[in-house]
Amino acid sequence: MLEKIVALSRKASPWVAHFNSGGCNACDIEVMATITPRFDVERLGIQLKGSPRHADILICTGPVTGQIRERLLRIYHQMPQPKYVVAVGSCALSGGVFHGCYNVMGGVDQVIPVDVYVPGCPPRPDAIIAGIAKVLDKMQEDALSKDGREREVDHGC
Amino acid sequence: MDFLADLFKLLVFPGFLFVVNFGLFLEWVDRKIYARMQHRVGPPWYQPWLDTIKLFTKEDVIPEKANPFMFTFLPVLDLAAAVTAFLYLPFGGFSSVNPFPGDLVVVVFFLTLSTLLLFLIGWYSGSPFGRVGSLRAVTQFLAYEVPLVLSLLTPALLAGSWSISTIKIVMAQNLSRFLPVTLLALAVSLLSLQGKLLRVPFDAPEAETEIVAGPLTEYTGRRLAFIRLAERAELVVGAGLISNLFLPFDKVLGMLGFFVSCVVVVFGLSVLRASFARLRIEDTTLISWKYLIPFSALGMALAIMVRG
Ligand code: SF4
């Protein structure tokens, strides 16, 4: 019973933080468009939070450049468990148009574990919402499964 | 038995459980009105409860630079201060837990205490954003405490008493004679309550586009939940205080009247929140010293004249 309520609360109250690790900004504009009143993501309980400490889901856009790698890792470690990552845009999937640049490490999954990939250059807001909704189901399943999902516990970040 | 009855009062009604749940309900009212003003559907009614449960089950992180004792202790103290303030409010036909002449000052004191605790919460979190947020919170606190207290003391002056229940009786008897002064004081107190609770447009201390989340930046999990609950409880106390002094519907409708008048107050605050964008910190203090404080002083002067 208690587990069910916890799982439901995880699913119904995802707070997202948004991080651009080196994209062209178009994906970020689409992410911003997603949280405008027109799409009303608060129906799903989604709220955009400034601090990664408050967030459950990290929305990552853009390829990971050599310089931003450390910051991305740090922000990821600052989030409390259980945490999930959504990669938004072709760049975040594979490096996209920046693939093979001397300073680009590739997609976000080269640096941190990614749960859901949303393709598109840039993806539309409805695609981003669909991606987040996929993560929500995953969150609920993980909360219900016995071993749960404590990938690693990081202290002192 | 006495002990058990006291414990019940502290923990269940009108203490902790009632205040927290009513606060979460008012949060839903606030978010729903905000959403409707933006032509959205808004969150379902159970959203605030689920948010809180989720926060309680998240990982608990203490940053290296934070002071661990203060980091743990302050959020709880913050919630305790806000809930204690509510114990001194009469509402819905019930008298307060411990009514005495001067309980108005005690309620205002506990409200002040929780703002000061917010300052300490940011200060001991060891984050530069937290410290900047704390300093802004104190700056704003100096500006908005004055008009809030002055406008809350206007009914006290009219009634010639500092006891909330006496003020309520006298105000109800002389409704039409006191009306102009009361309306002025009500307007000032609503605006300054908005400033005191750090809500848009006076949310420079928590400006998420400038300083991440202000004093709350480093808080995760249940500590964050405690601070959020304390904010909700402060909203309940603020709305309850205003409804006791200015909108005593509970004289006629009882418990329902108290809910209605609190929802009316929150409606006013939500409309403010939905119709303005954030002001910079110097503008918020300027608005207070230039407009709110003169008007609240005017209200007091009028109150002295009306009372004769
Ligand atoms: S996926 Fe396309 S739109 Fe998005 S950051 Fe990369 S290049 Fe820009």
Side-chain angles (χ1 to χ4, degrees):
Chain A
M1 183 63 198
L2 202 63
E3 279 161 15
K4 278 206 178 123
I5 295 177
V6 169
L8 184 68
S9 76
R10 293 249 168 92
K11 179 181 178 174
S13 145
W15 292 355
V16 302
H18 167 214
F19 185 69
N20 176 356
S21 54
C24 79
N25 243 330
C27 281
D28 306 287
I29 292 170
E30 294 302 317
V31 171
M32 286 300 121
T34 311
I35 57 156
T36 50
R38 187 177 180 87
F39 296 97
D40 189 17
V41 285
E42 207 182 4
R43 280 173 305 156
L44 305 175
I46 299 175
Q47 281 185 310
L48 190 71
K49 291 283 164 184
S51 167
R53 293 261 193 232
H54 303 178
D56 307 302
I57 301 177
L58 183 65
I59 297 187
C60 264
T61 60
V64 183
T65 60
Q67 210 173 24
I68 209 98
R69 189 176 168 276
E70 289 296 305
R71 279 83 172 174
L72 178 59
L73 268 177
R74 194 154 159 198
I75 285 191
Y76 180 71
H77 286 310
Q78 277 177 344
M79 287 169 64
Q81 294 280 5
K83 53 193 171 189
Y84 293 78
V85 179
V86 180
V88 167
S90 316
C91 289
L93 267 54
S94 63
V97 287
F98 302 107
H99 183 80
C101 279
Y102 70 95
N103 60 343
V104 167
M105 337 253 340
V108 172
D109 54 4
Q110 303 293 315
V111 184
I112 56 176
V114 174
D115 294 286
V116 166
Y117 300 86
V118 181
C121 181
R124 290 172 55 91
D126 28 4
I128 299 176
I129 295 175
I132 294 178
K134 282 227 167 65
V135 179
L136 297 187
D137 292 337
K138 202 168 174 181
M139 285 167 110
Q140 195 179 20
E141 269 169 36
D142 285 347
L144 282 177
S145 73
K146 268 285 160 281
D147 45 337
R149 139 124 173 201
E150 306 292 315
R151 274 198 285 230
E152 86 254 45
V153 179
D154 21 54
H155 289 294
C157 252
Chain B
M1 272 332 272
D2 251 14
F3 172 72
L4 280 185
D6 284 348
L7 209 62
F8 181 79
K9 274 184 186 166
L10 274 180
L11 292 181
V12 184
F13 184 87
F16 177 73
L17 276 184
F18 173 73
V19 177
V20 162
N21 283 306
F22 189 42
L24 291 176
F25 169 72
L26 285 186
E27 180 195 348
W28 174 73
V29 171
D30 176 40
R31 280 166 71 172
K32 189 78 179 176
I33 293 170
Y34 188 68
R36 289 310 296 152
M37 285 192 66
Q38 293 181 335
H39 260 273
R40 298 193 277 127
V41 180
W45 65 268
Y46 47 79
Q47 186 68 46
W49 281 271
L50 289 184
D51 282 350
T52 311
I53 294 172
K54 180 207 72 178
L55 280 178
F56 271 107
T57 59
K58 296 268 311 181
E59 188 197 351
D60 204 19
V61 187
I62 303 182
E64 252 168 24
K65 293 214 181 105
N67 178 331
F69 174 69
M70 295 304 234
F71 204 72
T72 316
F73 179 59
L74 286 172
V76 180
L77 198 62
D78 194 12
L79 181 58
V83 172
T84 313
F86 192 78
L87 292 180
Y88 286 90
L89 281 179
F91 67 98
F94 296 93
S95 70
S96 68
V97 169
N98 178 19
F100 68 99
D103 43 10
L104 177 59
V105 183
V106 176
V107 175
V108 171
F109 163 72
F110 278 115
L111 270 183
T112 308
L113 190 66
S114 52
T115 313
L116 275 180
L117 284 172
L118 186 69
F119 162 73
L120 289 179
I121 280 172
W123 192 260
Y124 282 108
S125 69
S127 146
F129 297 116
R131 296 211 165 164
V132 174
S134 290
L135 289 179
R136 288 189 184 185
V138 160
T139 315
Q140 191 152 318
F141 156 77
L142 290 177
Y144 282 85
E145 202 66 18
V146 182
L148 182 67
V149 174
L150 284 186
S151 59
L152 291 179
L153 285 186
T154 310
L157 260 183
L158 284 172
S161 159
W162 289 39
S163 137
I164 299 176
S165 42
T166 319
I167 296 176
K168 236 167 144 172
I169 296 168
V170 179
M171 293 292 276
Q173 281 165 351
N174 306 300
L175 203 57
S176 54
R177 188 153 70 95
F178 290 164
L179 196 63
V181 189
T182 321
L183 281 183
L184 179 66
L186 174 63
V188 173
S189 63
L190 273 182
L191 277 172
S192 37
L193 183 66
Q194 185 88 337
K196 169 147 179 85
L197 298 177
L198 310 184
R199 291 154 54 88
V200 184
F202 307 113
D203 67 333
E206 284 175 13
E208 75 270 7
T209 42
E210 301 165 33
I211 50 171
V212 188
L216 312 187
T217 304
E218 293 290 340
Y219 285 80
T220 56
R222 57 184 105 109
R223 290 162 228 261
L224 181 63
F226 274 122
I227 303 174
R228 280 169 55 91
L229 287 181
E231 277 174 4
R232 309 298 173 253
E234 271 178 73
L235 181 64
V236 173
V237 175
L241 197 54
I242 289 183
S243 73
N244 263 317
L245 296 181
F246 299 107
L247 309 164
F249 295 155
D250 50 354
K251 274 263 172 285
V252 264
L253 288 174
M255 204 59 190
L256 187 66
F258 177 72
F259 286 143
V260 170
S261 53
C262 282
V263 170
V264 168
V265 171
V266 171
F267 180 79
L269 298 183
S270 312
V271 170
L272 270 180
R273 180 160 88 101
S275 30
F276 292 100
R278 180 170 53 246
L279 297 162
R280 273 176 298 150
I281 183 73
E282 66 262 37
D283 291 336
T284 59
T285 38
L286 211 63
I287 284 180
S288 168
W289 289 106
K290 250 176 149 170
Y291 303 104
L292 290 182
I293 291 179
F295 274 113
S296 55
L298 180 71
M300 291 199 93
L302 283 180
I304 294 171
M305 273 152 59
V306 167
R307 198 167 58 119

PDB file of all heavy atoms in Angstrom, chain A residues 23-24 26-27 89-91 97 120-122, ligand 1:
ATOM      1  N   GLY A  23      24.654  22.671 -27.172  1.00  0.00           N
ATOM      2  CA  GLY A  23      23.864  22.617 -28.402  1.00  0.00           C
ATOM      3  C   GLY A  23      23.724  23.988 -29.035  1.00  0.00           C
ATOM      4  O   GLY A  23      24.357  24.952 -28.611  1.00  0.00           O
ATOM      5  N   CYS A  24      22.881  24.069 -30.060  1.00  0.00           N
ATOM      6  CA  CYS A  24      22.763  25.328 -30.794  1.00  0.00           C
ATOM      7  C   CYS A  24      21.653  26.185 -30.226  1.00  0.00           C
ATOM      8  O   CYS A  24      21.349  27.233 -30.785  1.00  0.00           O
ATOM      9  CB  CYS A  24      22.502  25.066 -32.260  1.00  0.00           C
ATOM     10  SG  CYS A  24      20.804  24.644 -32.597  1.00  0.00           S
ATOM     11  N   ALA A  26      18.414  25.737 -30.168  1.00  0.00           N
ATOM     12  CA  ALA A  26      17.061  25.538 -30.685  1.00  0.00           C
ATOM     13  C   ALA A  26      16.310  24.541 -29.819  1.00  0.00           C
ATOM     14  O   ALA A  26      15.125  24.720 -29.516  1.00  0.00           O
ATOM     15  CB  ALA A  26      17.116  25.058 -32.130  1.00  0.00           C
ATOM     16  N   CYS A  27      17.024  23.479 -29.376  1.00  0.00           N
ATOM     17  CA  CYS A  27      16.382  22.504 -28.505  1.00  0.00           C
ATOM     18  C   CYS A  27      15.928  23.158 -27.211  1.00  0.00           C
ATOM     19  O   CYS A  27      14.876  22.834 -26.677  1.00  0.00           O
ATOM     20  CB  CYS A  27      17.342  21.382 -28.180  1.00  0.00           C
ATOM     21  SG  CYS A  27      17.480  20.183 -29.493  1.00  0.00           S
ATOM     22  N   GLY A  89      16.934  15.888 -28.492  1.00  0.00           N
ATOM     23  CA  GLY A  89      17.562  16.388 -29.711  1.00  0.00           C
ATOM     24  C   GLY A  89      18.623  15.445 -30.253  1.00  0.00           C
ATOM     25  O   GLY A  89      19.238  14.686 -29.504  1.00  0.00           O
ATOM     26  N   SER A  90      18.839  15.499 -31.581  1.00  0.00           N
ATOM     27  CA  SER A  90      19.809  14.596 -32.214  1.00  0.00           C
ATOM     28  C   SER A  90      21.195  14.756 -31.619  1.00  0.00           C
ATOM     29  O   SER A  90      21.935  13.789 -31.476  1.00  0.00           O
ATOM     30  CB  SER A  90      19.899  14.892 -33.705  1.00  0.00           C
ATOM     31  OG  SER A  90      18.635  15.062 -34.231  1.00  0.00           O
ATOM     32  N   CYS A  91      21.560  15.991 -31.275  1.00  0.00           N
ATOM     33  CA  CYS A  91      22.887  16.225 -30.712  1.00  0.00           C
ATOM     34  C   CYS A  91      23.076  15.449 -29.429  1.00  0.00           C
ATOM     35  O   CYS A  91      24.113  14.830 -29.206  1.00  0.00           O
ATOM     36  CB  CYS A  91      23.082  17.700 -30.408  1.00  0.00           C
ATOM     37  SG  CYS A  91      23.244  18.692 -31.844  1.00  0.00           S
ATOM     38  N   VAL A  97      24.788  17.130 -35.688  1.00  0.00           N
ATOM     39  CA  VAL A  97      25.588  17.834 -36.691  1.00  0.00           C
ATOM     40  C   VAL A  97      26.998  18.108 -36.197  1.00  0.00           C
ATOM     41  O   VAL A  97      27.889  18.404 -36.984  1.00  0.00           O
ATOM     42  CB  VAL A  97      24.935  19.169 -37.091  1.00  0.00           C
ATOM     43  CG1 VAL A  97      23.735  18.910 -37.950  1.00  0.00           C
ATOM     44  CG2 VAL A  97      24.591  19.989 -35.885  1.00  0.00           C
ATOM     45  N   GLY A 120      15.119  14.297 -32.993  1.00  0.00           N
ATOM     46  CA  GLY A 120      14.555  15.472 -33.657  1.00  0.00           C
ATOM     47  C   GLY A 120      15.580  16.573 -33.641  1.00  0.00           C
ATOM     48  O   GLY A 120      16.443  16.604 -32.774  1.00  0.00           O
ATOM     49  N   CYS A 121      15.468  17.483 -34.605  1.00  0.00           N
ATOM     50  CA  CYS A 121      16.473  18.544 -34.650  1.00  0.00           C
ATOM     51  C   CYS A 121      15.818  19.869 -34.977  1.00  0.00           C
ATOM     52  O   CYS A 121      15.869  20.300 -36.091  1.00  0.00           O
ATOM     53  CB  CYS A 121      17.555  18.209 -35.670  1.00  0.00           C
ATOM     54  SG  CYS A 121      18.848  19.454 -35.762  1.00  0.00           S
ATOM     55  N   PRO A 122      15.181  20.541 -34.037  1.00  0.00           N
ATOM     56  CA  PRO A 122      14.890  20.113 -32.674  1.00  0.00           C
ATOM     57  C   PRO A 122      13.580  19.332 -32.618  1.00  0.00           C
ATOM     58  O   PRO A 122      12.736  19.495 -33.486  1.00  0.00           O
ATOM     59  CB  PRO A 122      14.729  21.443 -31.939  1.00  0.00           C
ATOM     60  CG  PRO A 122      14.181  22.365 -32.977  1.00  0.00           C
ATOM     61  CD  PRO A 122      14.790  21.937 -34.268  1.00  0.00           C
TER      62      PRO A 122
HETATM   63  S1  SF4 C   1      19.615  18.698 -32.130  1.00  0.00           S
HETATM   64 FE1  SF4 C   1      19.515  20.291 -33.701  1.00  0.00          FE
HETATM   65  S2  SF4 C   1      18.340  21.919 -32.729  1.00  0.00           S
HETATM   66 FE2  SF4 C   1      19.001  20.576 -31.083  1.00  0.00          FE
HETATM   67  S3  SF4 C   1      20.897  21.460 -30.330  1.00  0.00           S
HETATM   68 FE3  SF4 C   1      21.443  19.960 -31.908  1.00  0.00          FE
HETATM   69  S4  SF4 C   1      21.606  21.125 -33.797  1.00  0.00           S
HETATM   70 FE4  SF4 C   1      20.477  22.402 -32.312  1.00  0.00          FE
END
